């Protein structure tokens, strides 16, 4: 009898607790489950998007090898329109820029590289695009635009390449002292084993520069 009474008291206590907090617990569970379902759905969606983008990227690579610039550009634009959030969008834009450059289409080259800088995922892709775009702008003598592109916030690992390209632009402007300083910085930021370091040294020597002090 005592046992039954104790059990009844426990049941009453549980009922009272549920009456007070039951609704809160129920809604908390609903929110948690909904969040989990949303997270799972989003991951599934992202995986599907990435898979579809990879198919288009493979097709773009085939078009590049075939020398079909029109198809390369079309694939890049499709990926940017439909899968702009995937890593393939930036990669395909860089490929499209290369293809357009080889086809002597400067405007499309600039457009694709600028897209990577403005919308691409990954700071590394943005830095690569910036160096290449600055080179294209240098070729068409758009020096101020080139320097503006290079003034962005890029990973430290690209500091040498950025400084090197800035030196090229400054030298083209006739600013030898500024170019010399940029090349010296490029040497400081470029690893000794980097094959590009020798070219930087040659350019620095050509304008009467010195290697940075160790």
């Amino acid at each position: 009898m005592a046992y039954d009474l104790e059990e009844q008291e426990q049941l009453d206590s549980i009922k009272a607790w549920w009456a007070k907090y039951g609704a809160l617990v129920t809604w908390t569970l609903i929110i948690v489950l909904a969040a989990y379902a949303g997270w799972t759905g989003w991951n599934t969606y992202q995986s599907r998007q990435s898979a579809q983008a990879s198919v288009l990227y493979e097709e773009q690579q085939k078009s590049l090898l075939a020398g079909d610039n029109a198809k390369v550009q079309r694939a890049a634009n499709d990926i940017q329109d439909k899968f702009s959030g995937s890593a393939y969008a930036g990669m395909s834009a860089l490929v499209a820029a290369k293809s357009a450059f080889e086809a002597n289409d400067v405007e499309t080259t600039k457009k694709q590289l600028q897209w990577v800088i403005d919308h691409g995922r990954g700071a590394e892709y943005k830095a690569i695009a910036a160096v290449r775009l600055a080179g294209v702008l240098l070729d068409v003598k758009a020096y101020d635009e080139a320097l503006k592109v290079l003034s962005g916030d890029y990973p430290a690992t690209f500091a040498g390449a950025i400084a090197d390209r800035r030196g090229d632009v400054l030298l083209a402007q006739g600013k030898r002292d500024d170019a010399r300083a940029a090349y010296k910085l490029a040497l400081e930021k470029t690893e000794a084993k980097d094959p590009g370091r020798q070219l930087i040294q040659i350019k620095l020597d050509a304008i009467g520069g010195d290697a940075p002090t160790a």
Side-chain angles (χ1 to χ4, degrees), residues 27-204:
W27 280 109
T28 300
L29 286 173
I30 289 174
I31 292 171
V32 170
L33 290 173
Y36 177 75
W39 178 78
T40 302
W42 174 250
N43 283 342
T44 301
Y45 171 78
Q46 288 288 81
S47 297
R48 188 181 300 116
Q49 291 283 94
S50 181
Q52 293 174 347
S54 71
V55 172
L56 280 175
Y57 184 73
E58 288 180 16
E59 290 299 318
Q60 185 193 44
Q61 291 293 314
K62 293 177 183 178
S63 298
L64 180 67
L65 292 174
D68 192 335
N69 181 53
K71 286 187 177 180
V72 169
Q73 300 306 322
R74 188 157 55 246
N77 292 334
D78 285 345
I79 294 175
Q80 290 167 19
D81 290 341
K82 301 174 183 177
F83 313 108
S84 61
S86 72
Y88 288 102
M91 292 163 56
S92 68
L94 289 175
V95 171
K98 178 179 183 296
S99 178
F101 183 78
E102 292 174 349
N104 296 315
D105 185 350
V106 175
E107 288 307 312
T108 299
T109 301
K110 289 161 57 179
K111 174 188 171 184
Q112 293 291 0
L113 292 173
Q114 190 64 56
W115 191 94
V116 179
I117 295 172
D118 294 339
H119 308 290
R121 289 184 59 188
E124 292 78 10
Y125 290 140
K126 291 176 182 287
I128 292 170
V131 172
R132 293 180 182 176
L133 179 55
V136 174
L137 293 169
L138 171 61
D139 289 341
V140 298
K141 296 180 171 52
Y143 305 132
D144 291 338
E145 288 183 55
L147 291 175
K148 183 178 180 180
V149 168
L150 295 171
S151 66
D153 184 16
Y154 302 112
T157 50
F158 287 87
I162 295 290
D164 179 32
R165 183 67 82 208
R166 182 179 289 109
D168 295 340
V169 177
L170 292 168
L171 184 60
Q173 289 181 308
K175 301 176 180 178
R176 293 173 66 89
D177 290 340
D178 292 337
R180 187 179 296 110
Y183 287 139
K184 286 183 178 181
L185 177 61
L187 280 176
E188 292 173 4
K189 298 298 183 178
T190 302
E191 294 185 7
K193 61 182 180 181
D194 191 321
R197 185 181 174 85
Q198 183 176 359
L199 179 57
I200 299 172
Q201 184 66 65
I202 290 174
K203 289 188 285 188
L204 180 59

